[in-house]
């Protein structure tokens, strides 16, 4: 009996787009494995090892037999520590409002599944993180994009948000600091946007995975703190991957109203269950050893900031290229429109001709840009930027 491809794969599987950022990374890694000297700006992942004290705490938990199921939303000590950390910043939440999920990506997906019904519209500011539209579609929702450019500092306004509203609008996704642009909303801007969304009856998913990666004296803000209504209707997602270089640990968090948090935990209980048990003890060490955590973060931030400034200066020195001064995350999103190639063509040729990996802006819903991650060695940044400059020189002819 042979099955046709149409009935083997579901509509979900047929319609989901594979992650373009992971695809660029795979191609760069394959070239590297073949012995090529590739400079990769592709990966959205810190190049540091996880801090020693975190690894030690997880290793100790493993040695002590912490290898069985835990409660689905996380070990009580970790949920309590996370709640206390948010409360120290002005939240007023209980540990029951915290759900620990296998990665910040899963935290976002579960938040979407918990709030979006088929046909509901989800407003996604573009440029956006590649996974948001796919997650919304997997929930049966309809992504609605609101676009910003480098001239807007890659930020949308309440007016633009209101123009995108329909009776089916359900959720707004915010991501400040942003992947892919590194843009950060100021408190005034974020308050206005939050108020506009709540006035329209929307829920907000605030993906704050880069909340601690900020430069130039900037800070990021929690929309959930802006009003009592916001505390009810904002889901705050974050995680350990980017802040503590723990991408492979798969540790994400959501904070939400008791009702939404319970729904997220229920969805998780029927899909992934708890995060790997000893990994949760590693995360707990971040709260139990705050001095060590602060030191580890400060050290990484110092390196990121130096690299950011180096890459920013190099990009803005290229004739025809301009780059917005991003103050968060670890990405730059230069404008390449002047070169007259689509971003996919630009990146394809850049990798082929100069062995430099970057992700096309089109992957993030914005043609005419590239995403470069500076979470990479200084040497790669210097060499890669020089090759990029040479490539652009050739394009200018
Ligand atoms: C990296 C990232 C996440 C989550 O990453 P995990 O590895 O799943 O914890 C979430 N949102 C954005 C925008 C990211 O860049």
């Amino acid at each position: 009996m042979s099955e046709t491809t149409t009935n083997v794969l579901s509509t979900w599987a047929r319609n989901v787009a594979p992650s373009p950022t992971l695809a660029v990374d795979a191609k760069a890694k394959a070239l590297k494995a073949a012995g090529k000297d590739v400079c990769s700006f592709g990966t959205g992942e810190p190049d540091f090892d996880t801090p020693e004290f975190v690894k030690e705490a997880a290793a100790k938990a493993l040695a002590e037999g912490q290898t069985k199921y835990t409660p689905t939303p996380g070990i009580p000590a970790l949920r309590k520590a996370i709640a206390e950390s948010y409360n120290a910043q002005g939240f007023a939440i209980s540990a029951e409002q915290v759900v620990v999920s296998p990665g910040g990506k899963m935290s976002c997906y579960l938040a979407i599944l918990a709030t979006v019904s088929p046909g509901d519209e989800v407003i996604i500011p573009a440029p956006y993180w590649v996974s948001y539209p796919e997650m919304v579609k997997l929930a049966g929702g309809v992504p609605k994009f609101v676009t910003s450019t480098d001239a807007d500092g890659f930020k949308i306004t309440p007016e633009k948000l209101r123009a995108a509203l329909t009776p089916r609008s359900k959720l707004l996704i915010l991501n400040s600091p942003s992947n892919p642009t590194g843009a950060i909303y100021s408190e005034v801007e974020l308050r206005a946007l939050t108020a506009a969304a709540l006035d329209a009856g929307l829920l907000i998913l605030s993906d704050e995975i880069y909340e601690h990666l900020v430069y130039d004296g900037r800070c990021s803000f929690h929309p959930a703190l802006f009003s009592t209504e916001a505390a009810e209707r904002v889901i705050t997602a974050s995680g350990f991957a980017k802040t503590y270089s723990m991408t492979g640990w798969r540790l994400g968090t959501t904070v939400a109203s008791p009702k939404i948090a319970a729904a997220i935990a229920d969805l998780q209980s029927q899909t992934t269950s708890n995060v790997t048990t000893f990994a949760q003890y590693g995360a707990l060490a971040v709260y139990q050893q705050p001095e060590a955590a602060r030191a580890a973060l400060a050290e990484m931030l110092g390196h990121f900031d130096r690299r950011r400034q180096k890459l920013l200066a190099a990009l803005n020195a290229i004739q025809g290229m301009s780059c917005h001064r991003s103050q968060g995350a670890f990405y730059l999103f230069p404008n390449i429109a002047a070169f007259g190639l689509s971003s996919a063509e630009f990146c394809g040729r850049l990798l082929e001709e100069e062995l430099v990996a970057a992700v096309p802006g089109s992957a993030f819903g914005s043609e005419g840009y590239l995403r470069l991650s500076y979470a990479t060695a200084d040497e790669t940044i210097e060499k890669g930027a020089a090759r990029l400059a040479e490539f652009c020189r050739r394009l200018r002819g």
Side-chain angles (χ1 to χ4, degrees), residues 85-299:
S85 161
Y86 275 105
N87 289 342
Q89 301 170 67
F91 282 69
I93 55 165
S94 68
E96 285 65 48
Q97 289 173 256
V98 177
V99 180
V100 181
S101 301
K105 193 175 261 187
M106 196 64 181
S107 296
C108 290
Y109 184 45
L110 292 173
I112 290 167
L113 279 182
T115 54
V116 174
S117 298
D120 284 350
E121 294 178 0
V122 177
I123 298 177
I124 303 176
Y128 49 71
W129 183 42
V130 294
S131 294
Y132 299 139
E134 299 306 315
M135 289 173 172
V136 166
K137 287 190 267 176
L138 285 172
V142 182
K144 290 282 165 180
F145 303 112
V146 177
T147 303
S148 67
T149 67
D150 47 359
D152 314 317
F154 296 118
K155 292 185 267 198
I156 68 161
T157 57
E159 293 67 42
K160 280 195 177 175
L161 172 66
R162 280 192 281 267
L165 293 171
T166 78
R168 292 308 308 259
S169 304
K170 179 74 191 280
L171 177 72
L172 166 66
I173 300 182
L174 292 176
N175 177 219
S176 171
S178 153
N179 176 3
T181 67
I184 306 176
Y185 284 88
S186 72
E187 184 176 3
V188 169
E189 292 164 339
L190 202 56
R191 271 188 189 276
L193 205 50
T194 301
L198 296 179
D199 284 349
L202 302 188
L203 298 166
I204 297 174
L205 167 59
S206 179
D207 179 358
E208 303 175 9
I209 192 89
Y210 295 100
E211 60 184 314
H212 299 293
L213 305 187
V214 291
Y215 318 99
D216 292 345
R218 291 294 303 269
C219 47
S220 60
F221 299 92
H222 302 294
L225 290 182
F226 290 157
S227 64
T228 43
E229 197 191 359
E232 279 292 307
R233 301 182 64 84
V234 176
I235 304 168
T236 303
S238 192
F240 296 79
K242 309 297 165 54
T243 309
Y244 298 108
S245 205
M246 293 171 67
T247 45
W249 291 64
R250 315 312 301 137
L251 278 157
T253 61
T254 42
V255 168
S257 68
K259 190 174 180 173
I260 295 176
I264 290 173
D266 286 346
L267 286 162
Q268 183 164 309
S269 75
Q270 298 289 20
T271 50
T272 65
S273 297
N274 62 274
V275 171
T276 305
T277 303
F278 44 91
Q280 294 187 58
Y281 284 88
L284 184 58
V286 164
Y287 300 96
Q288 289 178 334
Q289 299 177 57
E291 288 305 323
R294 258 194 294 277
L297 174 58
E299 188 183 343

Side-chain angles (χ1 to χ4, degrees), residues 337-389:
F339 296 100
L341 296 180
S342 74
S343 57
E345 280 176 301
F346 191 102
C347 289
R349 285 184 50 186
L350 182 62
L351 186 55
E352 247 166 60
E353 298 173 23
E354 294 288 343
L355 296 173
V356 172
V359 188
S362 54
F364 309 95
S366 290
E367 195 43 89
Y369 301 91
L370 308 178
R371 191 194 75 174
L372 302 173
S373 162
Y374 51 84
T376 185
D378 291 70
E379 191 204 347
T380 304
I381 291 176
E382 284 152 26
K383 195 157 67 174
R387 291 181 189 177
L388 177 60

